Amino acid sequence: MKKIILTGDRPTGRLHLGHYVGSLKRRVELQNSGEFEKIFIMIADAQALTDNADNPDKIRDNIIEVALDYLSCGLDPSKSTIFIQSQIAELCELTFYYMNLVTVSRLQRNPTVKAEIQMRNFETSIPVGFFTYPISQASDITAFKATTVPVGEDQEPMIEQTREIVRKFNSVYGETLVEPDILLPDNAACLRLPGTDGKAKMSKSLGNCIYLSDTAEDVRKKIMSMFTDPGHIKVEDPGKIEGNTVFTYLDAFCRPEHFAEFWPEYSGLDELKGHYQRGGLGDVKVKKFLNSILQAELEPIRQRRKEFEKDIPGVYRMLKEGTEAAREVAAATLADVRKAMRINYFDDAELIASQAEKFGNQA
Ligand code: TRP
């Protein structure tokens, strides 16, 4: 079977390192691997509106930010179709049909929805659109017959719910849809990169993000004020690695060649960790090392962003072309879906002929 990728992001802000290690970096590798027949990258503005209905300008203004982040990370519109969710009406249509296949209690059990309801203090005043966004996400994935969805760990319940909808649809209406697989980051530290404050996750509302578009100086400052081990007060004190954000970031970003380049006194990360744990290694030194690594990773991204920023109309043209191409694919799937659901009345000559016969029309 041909392999197809679909993934995306909500345009509620610029993308940060959590997005980068959790998904974006991998997408670029997958794009360039040549293993995939088609790659769809969606800017999920309609999903972002499910909990930002009163703030449409926030979503509107962040479409270009996300598109610039994509391009500067190396997503290439000649290899990946980048498109805007809301412009594909077929996705709403598909969601409407899927809603008949999902129960309220199943949605209430979706762990991501549960956590997000709590985080946003929605309690019982959840917008229906927000509550049902897992169904809409199933439409995003299945409209493109995606086989592979590279996302962060927090999206696992969404993919599971999608798979259930696919199985239900196929069993009720006949084999039509493709059951997708999740593709998680392969490095544990990348699964859930904590914020610079050591809190569970990078999140704009917590102000603990390093953005891909931050200046070199911003990145340096954020690293220098990063959460480490609060018990590691004097350089001589033994330090903890677990829960130490600087080391979590090193686990996510550090490669052996970084030692050769920036810190040849150590042979590798294990030796560095050992020294820190024994005591005698100050946080500032480790932070400087992390800064060198992150600057090396982010500088080419920043440079490419500057180039793309010079032609904003060109970026919108790219999005429009991507959206048109994506819409054709979704429309073809919807034709299959309508046929399977027996609502393809006007395309079905047999239906019309048999009804004509039933009513005694002359042939
Ligand atoms: N829910 C995803 C996020 O929070 C965005 C998204 C919407 C998505 N539709 C998708 C991701 C389909 C993968 C597949 O970032």
Coordinates of all heavy atoms in Angstrom, one line a residue, residues 156-247:
E156 N -1.9 10.9 20.8 CA -2.2 9.5 20.6 C -3.7 9.2 20.7 O -4.2 8.4 19.9 CB -1.4 8.7 21.7 CG -1.0 7.4 21.2 CD 0.2 6.8 22.0 OE1 0.7 7.5 23.0 OE2 0.6 5.7 21.6
P157 N -4.4 9.8 21.7 CA -5.8 9.5 21.8 C -6.6 9.9 20.6 O -7.7 9.3 20.3 CB -6.3 10.3 23.1 CG -5.0 10.5 23.9 CD -3.9 10.6 22.9
M158 N -6.1 10.9 19.9 CA -6.8 11.4 18.7 C -6.7 10.3 17.6 O -7.7 10.1 16.9 CB -6.2 12.7 18.2 CG -6.2 13.8 19.1 SD -7.9 14.3 19.3 CE -7.8 15.0 21.0
I159 N -5.5 9.8 17.5 CA -5.3 8.8 16.4 C -6.1 7.5 16.8 O -6.7 6.9 15.9 CB -3.8 8.4 16.3 CG1 -3.0 9.7 16.2 CG2 -3.6 7.5 15.0 CD1 -3.3 10.7 15.1
E160 N -6.2 7.2 18.1 CA -6.9 6.0 18.5 C -8.4 6.2 18.1 O -9.1 5.3 17.6 CB -6.8 5.7 20.0 CG -7.2 4.4 20.4 CD -6.9 3.2 19.5 OE1 -5.7 3.1 19.1 OE2 -7.8 2.5 19.1
Q161 N -8.9 7.4 18.4 CA -10.3 7.7 18.1 C -10.6 7.7 16.6 O -11.6 7.2 16.1 CB -10.7 9.1 18.7 CG -12.1 9.5 18.5 CD -12.8 9.9 19.8 OE1 -12.2 10.5 20.6 NE2 -14.1 9.4 19.9
T162 N -9.6 8.1 15.8 CA -9.7 8.1 14.4 C -9.8 6.6 13.9 O -10.6 6.3 13.1 CB -8.5 8.8 13.7 OG1 -8.4 10.1 14.2 CG2 -8.6 8.7 12.2
R163 N -9.0 5.8 14.5 CA -9.0 4.4 14.0 C -10.3 3.7 14.3 O -10.8 3.0 13.5 CB -7.8 3.6 14.7 CG -6.4 4.1 14.3 CD -5.3 3.6 15.2 NE -5.3 2.1 15.2 CZ -4.6 1.4 14.4 NH1 -3.9 1.9 13.4 NH2 -4.6 0.1 14.4
E164 N -10.9 4.1 15.5 CA -12.2 3.6 15.8 C -13.3 4.0 14.8 O -14.1 3.2 14.4 CB -12.6 4.0 17.2 CG -12.0 3.2 18.3 CD -12.4 3.8 19.7 OE1 -13.5 4.3 19.9 OE2 -11.5 3.8 20.6
I165 N -13.2 5.3 14.5 CA -14.2 5.8 13.5 C -14.0 5.1 12.2 O -15.0 4.7 11.5 CB -14.0 7.3 13.4 CG1 -14.5 8.0 14.7 CG2 -14.8 7.9 12.2 CD1 -14.2 9.5 14.7
V166 N -12.8 4.9 11.7 CA -12.6 4.2 10.5 C -13.1 2.8 10.5 O -13.9 2.4 9.6 CB -11.0 4.1 10.2 CG1 -10.8 3.2 9.0 CG2 -10.5 5.5 9.8
R167 N -12.9 2.1 11.6 CA -13.4 0.7 11.7 C -14.9 0.7 11.7 O -15.5 -0.1 11.0 CB -12.8 0.0 13.0 CG -11.4 -0.3 12.9 CD -10.9 -1.3 14.0 NE -11.0 -0.7 15.3 CZ -9.9 -0.2 15.9 NH1 -8.8 -0.1 15.3 NH2 -10.1 0.3 17.1
K168 N -15.5 1.6 12.4 CA -16.9 1.7 12.5 C -17.5 2.0 11.1 O -18.4 1.4 10.6 CB -17.3 2.8 13.5 CG -18.8 3.0 13.7 CD -19.4 2.1 14.7 CE -20.9 2.3 14.8 NZ -21.5 1.4 15.7
F169 N -16.9 3.0 10.5 CA -17.4 3.4 9.1 C -17.3 2.2 8.2 O -18.3 1.9 7.5 CB -16.6 4.6 8.6 CG -17.2 5.2 7.3 CD1 -17.9 6.3 7.3 CD2 -16.9 4.5 6.1 CE1 -18.4 6.8 6.1 CE2 -17.5 5.0 4.9 CZ -18.2 6.2 4.9
N170 N -16.2 1.6 8.1 CA -16.0 0.5 7.2 C -16.9 -0.7 7.5 O -17.3 -1.4 6.5 CB -14.5 0.0 7.2 CG -13.6 1.0 6.5 OD1 -14.0 1.9 5.8 ND2 -12.3 0.8 6.7
S171 N -17.2 -0.9 8.8 CA -18.0 -2.1 9.1 C -19.5 -1.7 8.7 O -20.3 -2.6 8.3 CB -17.9 -2.5 10.5 OG -18.5 -1.7 11.4
V172 N -19.9 -0.5 8.9 CA -21.3 -0.1 8.5 C -21.5 0.1 7.0 O -22.5 -0.4 6.5 CB -21.7 1.2 9.3 CG1 -23.1 1.6 8.9 CG2 -21.6 1.0 10.8
Y173 N -20.6 0.7 6.4 CA -20.8 1.2 5.0 C -19.9 0.4 4.0 O -20.0 0.7 2.8 CB -20.5 2.7 4.9 CG -21.4 3.5 5.7 CD1 -20.8 4.3 6.7 CD2 -22.8 3.5 5.6 CE1 -21.6 5.1 7.6 CE2 -23.6 4.3 6.4 CZ -23.0 5.1 7.4 OH -23.8 5.9 8.2
G174 N -19.1 -0.5 4.5 CA -18.2 -1.2 3.5 C -16.8 -0.5 3.5 O -16.6 0.7 3.8
E175 N -15.8 -1.3 3.2 CA -14.4 -0.9 3.2 C -14.2 0.3 2.3 O -14.2 0.3 1.1 CB -13.6 -2.1 2.6 CG -12.2 -2.4 3.2 CD -12.1 -2.4 4.7 OE1 -12.9 -3.0 5.4 OE2 -11.1 -1.7 5.1
T176 N -13.9 1.5 3.0 CA -13.8 2.7 2.2 C -12.6 3.5 2.7 O -11.8 4.1 2.0 CB -15.0 3.6 2.4 OG1 -16.2 2.8 2.2 CG2 -15.0 4.8 1.5
L177 N -12.4 3.5 4.1 CA -11.4 4.4 4.7 C -10.2 3.6 5.1 O -10.2 2.4 5.3 CB -12.0 5.1 5.9 CG -13.3 5.9 5.7 CD1 -13.9 6.3 7.0 CD2 -13.0 7.1 4.8
V178 N -9.1 4.4 5.3 CA -7.8 3.8 5.7 C -7.5 4.1 7.1 O -7.7 5.2 7.6 CB -6.7 4.4 4.8 CG1 -5.3 3.9 5.3 CG2 -6.9 4.1 3.3
E179 N -7.2 3.0 7.9 CA -6.8 3.1 9.3 C -5.4 3.6 9.4 O -4.5 3.0 9.0 CB -7.0 1.8 10.0 CG -7.6 1.8 11.3 CD -7.8 0.4 11.9 OE1 -8.5 -0.4 11.3 OE2 -7.3 0.2 13.0
P180 N -5.2 4.8 10.0 CA -3.9 5.4 10.1 C -3.1 4.9 11.3 O -3.6 4.4 12.3 CB -4.1 6.9 10.3 CG -5.4 6.9 11.1 CD -6.2 5.7 10.7
D181 N -1.8 4.9 11.2 CA -0.9 4.6 12.3 C -0.2 5.9 12.8 O 0.1 6.8 12.0 CB 0.3 3.7 11.9 CG -0.2 2.3 11.7 OD1 -1.0 1.8 12.6 OD2 0.1 1.7 10.6
I182 N 0.0 6.0 14.1 CA 0.7 7.2 14.7 C 2.2 6.9 14.5 O 2.6 5.8 14.5 CB 0.3 7.4 16.1 CG1 0.9 8.7 16.7 CG2 0.9 6.2 17.0 CD1 0.3 9.1 18.0
L183 N 2.9 8.0 14.3 CA 4.4 7.8 14.3 C 5.0 8.8 15.3 O 4.9 10.0 15.1 CB 4.9 8.2 12.8 CG 6.4 8.0 12.6 CD1 6.7 6.5 12.7 CD2 6.8 8.4 11.2
L184 N 5.4 8.2 16.4 CA 5.9 9.0 17.5 C 7.4 9.3 17.4 O 8.1 8.6 16.7 CB 5.7 8.3 18.9 CG 4.2 8.1 19.3 CD1 4.1 7.1 20.4 CD2 3.6 9.4 19.6
P185 N 7.9 10.4 18.0 CA 9.3 10.7 18.0 C 10.0 9.5 18.6 O 9.5 8.8 19.5 CB 9.5 11.9 18.9 CG 8.1 12.5 19.0 CD 7.1 11.4 18.8
D186 N 11.3 9.2 18.0 CA 11.9 8.0 18.5 C 12.8 8.2 19.7 O 13.3 7.3 20.3 CB 12.8 7.3 17.3 CG 13.4 8.4 16.5 OD1 13.6 9.5 17.0 OD2 13.8 8.1 15.3
N187 N 13.0 9.5 20.1 CA 13.8 9.8 21.3 C 12.9 10.2 22.4 O 12.0 11.0 22.3 CB 14.8 10.9 20.8 CG 15.5 11.6 22.0 OD1 15.1 11.6 23.1 ND2 16.7 12.1 21.7
A188 N 13.1 9.5 23.6 CA 12.2 9.8 24.7 C 12.1 11.2 25.1 O 11.1 11.7 25.5 CB 12.6 8.9 25.9
A189 N 13.3 11.9 25.1 CA 13.3 13.3 25.5 C 12.5 14.2 24.5 O 11.9 15.2 24.9 CB 14.7 13.9 25.6
C190 N 12.4 13.7 23.3 CA 11.6 14.5 22.3 C 10.1 14.2 22.4 O 9.3 15.0 21.8 CB 12.1 14.1 20.9 SG 13.8 14.5 20.5
L191 N 9.8 13.2 23.0 CA 8.4 12.8 23.2 C 7.6 14.0 23.8 O 6.5 14.3 23.5 CB 8.2 11.6 24.0 CG 8.1 10.3 23.3 CD1 8.0 9.1 24.3 CD2 7.0 10.2 22.3
R192 N 8.2 14.5 24.9 CA 7.6 15.6 25.6 C 8.6 16.5 26.2 O 9.1 16.4 27.3 CB 6.8 14.9 26.8 CG 5.8 15.9 27.4 CD 4.9 15.1 28.4 NE 3.8 14.6 27.7 CZ 2.6 15.2 27.6 NH1 2.4 16.3 28.2 NH2 1.6 14.6 26.9
L193 N 9.0 17.4 25.3 CA 10.1 18.4 25.7 C 9.4 19.3 26.7 O 8.4 20.0 26.5 CB 10.6 19.1 24.5 CG 11.8 19.9 24.7 CD1 13.0 19.0 24.8 CD2 12.0 21.0 23.6
P194 N 10.0 19.4 27.9 CA 9.5 20.3 28.9 C 9.7 21.8 28.6 O 10.6 22.1 27.7 CB 10.2 20.0 30.2 CG 11.5 19.4 29.8 CD 11.2 18.8 28.4
G195 N 9.0 22.7 29.2 CA 9.3 24.1 29.0 C 10.6 24.5 29.7 O 11.1 23.7 30.5
T196 N 11.1 25.7 29.4 CA 12.3 26.1 30.0 C 12.2 26.2 31.6 O 13.2 26.2 32.3 CB 12.8 27.5 29.5 OG1 11.7 28.4 29.7 CG2 13.1 27.5 28.0
D197 N 11.0 26.3 32.1 CA 10.8 26.3 33.6 C 10.7 25.0 34.2 O 10.4 24.8 35.4 CB 9.5 27.1 33.9 CG 8.3 26.6 33.2 OD1 8.5 25.6 32.4 OD2 7.2 27.1 33.4
G198 N 10.9 23.9 33.3 CA 10.8 22.6 33.8 C 9.4 22.0 33.9 O 9.2 20.9 34.3
K199 N 8.4 22.9 33.6 CA 7.0 22.4 33.6 C 6.8 21.4 32.5 O 7.5 21.4 31.5 CB 6.1 23.6 33.5 CG 6.2 24.6 34.6 CD 5.1 24.4 35.6 CE 5.3 25.1 36.9 NZ 5.5 26.6 36.7
A200 N 5.7 20.6 32.7 CA 5.5 19.5 31.8 C 5.7 19.8 30.3 O 6.4 19.0 29.7 CB 4.0 19.0 32.0
K201 N 5.2 20.8 29.8 CA 5.2 21.0 28.4 C 5.4 22.4 28.0 O 5.1 23.3 28.7 CB 3.8 20.6 27.9 CG 3.7 20.2 26.5 CD 2.3 19.6 26.2 CE 1.8 19.9 24.8 NZ 0.5 19.4 24.5
M202 N 6.1 22.6 26.8 CA 6.2 24.0 26.4 C 4.8 24.5 26.0 O 4.1 23.8 25.2 CB 7.1 24.0 25.1 CG 8.5 24.4 25.4 SD 9.4 24.9 24.0 CE 11.0 24.8 24.7
S203 N 4.5 25.6 26.5 CA 3.2 26.1 26.2 C 3.2 27.6 26.2 O 3.8 28.2 27.1 CB 2.1 25.6 27.2 OG 1.2 26.5 27.6
K204 N 2.6 28.2 25.2 CA 2.6 29.7 25.0 C 2.1 30.3 26.3 O 2.6 31.3 26.8 CB 1.8 30.1 23.8 CG 2.2 31.4 23.3 CD 1.5 31.7 22.0 CE 0.8 33.0 22.2 NZ -0.2 33.2 21.2
S205 N 1.0 29.8 26.8 CA 0.3 30.4 28.0 C 1.2 30.4 29.2 O 1.0 31.2 30.1 CB -1.0 29.8 28.2 OG -0.9 28.4 28.3
L206 N 2.1 29.4 29.3 CA 3.0 29.4 30.5 C 4.3 30.2 30.3 O 5.0 30.4 31.2 CB 3.4 27.9 30.7 CG 2.3 26.9 31.2 CD1 2.9 25.5 31.3 CD2 1.7 27.3 32.5
G207 N 4.5 30.8 29.1 CA 5.6 31.6 28.8 C 6.9 30.9 29.0 O 7.9 31.5 29.4
N208 N 7.0 29.6 28.7 CA 8.2 28.8 28.9 C 8.7 28.2 27.6 O 9.3 27.2 27.6 CB 7.9 27.7 29.9 CG 6.8 26.8 29.4 OD1 6.3 26.9 28.3 ND2 6.5 25.8 30.2
C209 N 8.5 28.9 26.5 CA 8.9 28.4 25.2 C 10.1 29.0 24.6 O 10.4 30.2 24.8 CB 7.8 28.7 24.1 SG 6.2 28.1 24.6
I210 N 10.9 28.3 23.8 CA 11.9 28.8 22.9 C 11.3 28.7 21.5 O 11.0 27.6 21.1 CB 13.2 28.0 23.1 CG1 13.8 28.3 24.5 CG2 14.2 28.5 22.0 CD1 15.1 27.5 24.8
Y211 N 11.1 29.8 20.9 CA 10.5 29.8 19.6 C 11.6 29.6 18.5 O 12.7 30.1 18.6 CB 9.7 31.1 19.3 CG 8.5 31.2 20.2 CD1 8.6 32.0 21.4 CD2 7.4 30.5 19.9 CE1 7.5 32.1 22.2 CE2 6.3 30.6 20.8 CZ 6.3 31.3 21.9 OH 5.2 31.4 22.7
L212 N 11.1 29.0 17.4 CA 12.1 28.8 16.3 C 12.5 30.2 15.7 O 13.6 30.3 15.2 CB 11.4 28.0 15.2 CG 11.0 26.6 15.6 CD1 10.2 25.9 14.5 CD2 12.3 25.8 15.8
S213 N 11.6 31.2 15.9 CA 11.9 32.5 15.3 C 12.5 33.4 16.3 O 12.7 34.6 16.1 CB 10.6 33.1 14.7 OG 9.6 33.0 15.6
D214 N 12.8 32.9 17.6 CA 13.5 33.8 18.5 C 14.9 34.2 18.0 O 15.5 33.4 17.3 CB 13.7 33.0 19.9 CG 12.5 33.1 20.8 OD1 11.6 33.9 20.5 OD2 12.4 32.3 21.7
T215 N 15.3 35.4 18.4 CA 16.7 35.8 18.1 C 17.7 35.0 18.8 O 17.4 34.4 19.9 CB 16.9 37.3 18.4 OG1 16.8 37.4 19.8 CG2 15.9 38.2 17.7
A216 N 18.9 35.0 18.4 CA 20.0 34.3 19.1 C 20.1 34.7 20.5 O 20.3 33.9 21.4 CB 21.3 34.4 18.3
E217 N 20.0 36.0 20.7 CA 20.1 36.6 22.1 C 18.9 36.1 23.0 O 19.1 35.8 24.1 CB 20.2 38.1 22.0 CG 20.4 38.9 23.3 CD 21.5 38.3 24.1 OE1 22.4 37.7 23.6 OE2 21.5 38.6 25.3
D218 N 17.7 36.1 22.4 CA 16.6 35.6 23.2 C 16.8 34.1 23.6 O 16.5 33.8 24.7 CB 15.3 35.6 22.3 CG 14.7 37.0 22.2 OD1 15.1 37.9 23.0 OD2 13.9 37.3 21.2
V219 N 17.3 33.3 22.7 CA 17.5 31.9 23.0 C 18.5 31.8 24.1 O 18.3 31.1 25.0 CB 18.0 31.2 21.7 CG1 18.4 29.7 22.0 CG2 16.9 31.2 20.6
R220 N 19.6 32.6 24.0 CA 20.7 32.5 25.0 C 20.1 32.9 26.4 O 20.4 32.2 27.3 CB 21.8 33.5 24.6 CG 23.1 33.2 25.4 CD 24.1 34.3 25.2 NE 23.6 35.6 25.7 CZ 23.7 36.0 27.0 NH1 24.2 35.2 27.9 NH2 23.2 37.1 27.4
K221 N 19.3 33.9 26.4 CA 18.8 34.4 27.7 C 17.9 33.3 28.3 O 17.9 33.0 29.5 CB 18.0 35.7 27.5 CG 18.8 36.9 27.5 CD 17.9 38.1 27.7 CE 18.6 39.4 27.2 NZ 17.7 40.2 26.4
K222 N 17.0 32.7 27.4 CA 16.1 31.7 27.9 C 16.9 30.5 28.4 O 16.5 29.9 29.5 CB 15.1 31.3 26.8 CG 14.1 32.4 26.5 CD 13.2 32.0 25.4 CE 12.2 33.2 25.1 NZ 11.3 32.8 24.0
I223 N 18.0 30.1 27.8 CA 18.7 29.0 28.2 C 19.4 29.3 29.6 O 19.4 28.5 30.5 CB 19.8 28.5 27.2 CG1 19.0 28.0 26.0 CG2 20.7 27.5 27.8 CD1 19.9 27.7 24.8
M224 N 19.9 30.5 29.7 CA 20.7 30.9 30.9 C 19.7 30.9 32.1 O 20.2 30.8 33.2 CB 21.4 32.2 30.7 CG 22.6 32.1 29.8 SD 23.6 30.7 30.4 CE 24.9 30.7 29.2
S225 N 18.4 31.2 31.9 CA 17.5 31.2 33.0 C 16.7 29.9 33.2 O 15.7 29.8 33.9 CB 16.6 32.4 32.9 OG 15.8 32.3 31.8
M226 N 17.2 28.9 32.5 CA 16.5 27.6 32.5 C 16.5 26.9 33.9 O 17.5 27.0 34.6 CB 17.2 26.7 31.5 CG 16.3 25.8 30.8 SD 17.3 24.9 29.5 CE 16.3 25.1 28.1
F227 N 15.4 26.2 34.2 CA 15.3 25.4 35.4 C 16.3 24.3 35.4 O 16.5 23.6 34.4 CB 13.9 24.8 35.5 CG 13.6 24.0 36.7 CD1 13.3 24.6 37.9 CD2 13.7 22.6 36.6 CE1 13.1 23.8 39.0 CE2 13.5 21.8 37.7 CZ 13.2 22.4 38.9
T228 N 17.1 24.1 36.5 CA 18.0 22.9 36.6 C 17.7 22.1 37.8 O 16.5 21.6 37.9 CB 19.5 23.4 36.6 OG1 19.6 24.3 37.7 CG2 19.9 24.1 35.3
D229 N 18.6 21.9 38.6 CA 18.4 21.1 39.9 C 18.4 22.2 41.0 O 19.5 22.7 41.3 CB 19.4 20.1 40.1 CG 19.4 19.5 41.5 OD1 18.4 19.7 42.2 OD2 20.4 18.8 41.8
P230 N 17.3 22.4 41.7 CA 17.3 23.5 42.7 C 18.2 23.1 43.9 O 18.6 24.0 44.6 CB 15.8 23.5 43.1 CG 15.1 22.4 42.5 CD 16.0 21.8 41.4
G231 N 18.6 21.8 44.0 CA 19.4 21.5 45.1 C 20.9 21.6 44.8 O 21.8 21.5 45.6
H232 N 21.2 22.0 43.5 CA 22.6 22.1 43.1 C 23.0 23.6 43.2 O 22.8 24.4 42.3 CB 22.6 21.7 41.6 CG 24.0 21.6 41.0 ND1 24.4 22.3 39.9 CD2 25.2 21.0 41.4 CE1 25.7 22.1 39.6 NE2 26.1 21.3 40.5
I233 N 23.4 23.9 44.4 CA 23.6 25.3 44.7 C 25.0 25.8 44.5 O 25.3 26.7 43.8 CB 23.2 25.6 46.2 CG1 21.7 25.3 46.3 CG2 23.4 27.1 46.6 CD1 21.1 25.3 47.7
K234 N 26.0 25.0 45.1 CA 27.4 25.3 44.8 C 27.9 24.4 43.8 O 27.4 23.2 43.6 CB 28.2 25.1 46.1 CG 28.0 26.3 47.1 CD 28.8 26.2 48.3 CE 28.1 25.5 49.4 NZ 28.5 24.6 50.3
V235 N 28.9 24.8 43.1 CA 29.5 24.0 42.0 C 29.9 22.6 42.5 O 29.7 21.6 41.8 CB 30.8 24.7 41.4 CG1 31.5 23.8 40.4 CG2 30.3 26.0 40.7
E236 N 30.4 22.6 43.7 CA 30.9 21.3 44.3 C 29.8 20.3 44.6 O 30.0 19.1 44.7 CB 31.7 21.5 45.6 CG 32.8 22.5 45.6 CD 32.2 23.9 45.8 OE1 31.8 24.2 47.0 OE2 32.1 24.7 44.8
D237 N 28.6 20.8 44.8 CA 27.4 20.0 45.1 C 27.2 18.9 44.0 O 27.3 19.3 42.9 CB 26.2 20.8 45.3 CG 26.3 21.7 46.5 OD1 27.1 21.5 47.4 OD2 25.5 22.7 46.6
P238 N 26.8 17.7 44.5 CA 26.3 16.8 43.5 C 25.0 17.3 42.8 O 24.2 17.9 43.5 CB 26.0 15.5 44.3 CG 26.6 15.7 45.7 CD 26.7 17.2 45.8
G239 N 24.8 17.0 41.5 CA 23.7 17.5 40.9 C 22.8 16.4 40.4 O 23.2 15.3 40.2
K240 N 21.5 16.7 40.2 CA 20.6 15.7 39.7 C 20.3 15.9 38.2 O 20.2 17.0 37.7 CB 19.2 15.9 40.4 CG 19.1 15.2 41.7 CD 17.6 14.8 42.0 CE 17.3 14.5 43.4 NZ 17.2 15.7 44.3
I241 N 20.2 14.8 37.5 CA 20.0 14.8 36.1 C 18.5 14.7 35.8 O 17.9 15.4 34.9 CB 20.7 13.6 35.4 CG1 22.2 13.6 35.7 CG2 20.4 13.5 33.9 CD1 22.9 14.7 35.1
E242 N 17.8 13.9 36.6 CA 16.4 13.7 36.4 C 15.6 15.0 36.7 O 15.8 15.6 37.7 CB 15.8 12.6 37.4 CG 16.5 11.2 37.3 CD 17.9 11.2 37.9 OE1 18.2 11.9 38.9 OE2 18.8 10.5 37.3
G243 N 14.7 15.3 35.8 CA 13.9 16.5 36.0 C 14.8 17.8 35.8 O 14.3 18.9 36.0
N244 N 16.0 17.6 35.4 CA 16.9 18.8 35.1 C 16.7 19.2 33.6 O 17.2 18.5 32.7 CB 18.3 18.4 35.5 CG 19.2 19.6 35.4 OD1 19.1 20.5 34.5 ND2 20.2 19.7 36.2
T245 N 16.0 20.3 33.4 CA 15.6 20.7 32.1 C 16.8 20.8 31.1 O 16.7 20.3 29.9 CB 14.9 22.0 32.1 OG1 14.0 22.0 33.2 CG2 14.1 22.2 30.8
V246 N 17.9 21.3 31.6 CA 19.1 21.4 30.7 C 19.5 20.1 30.2 O 19.8 19.9 29.0 CB 20.3 22.1 31.4 CG1 21.5 22.2 30.6 CG2 19.8 23.6 31.8
F247 N 19.5 19.1 31.0 CA 19.9 17.7 30.6 C 18.8 17.1 29.7 O 19.1 16.3 28.8 CB 20.3 16.9 31.8 CG 21.7 17.2 32.3 CD1 21.9 18.0 33.3 CD2 22.8 16.6 31.6 CE1 23.2 18.4 33.7 CE2 24.1 16.9 32.0 CZ 24.3 17.8 33.1

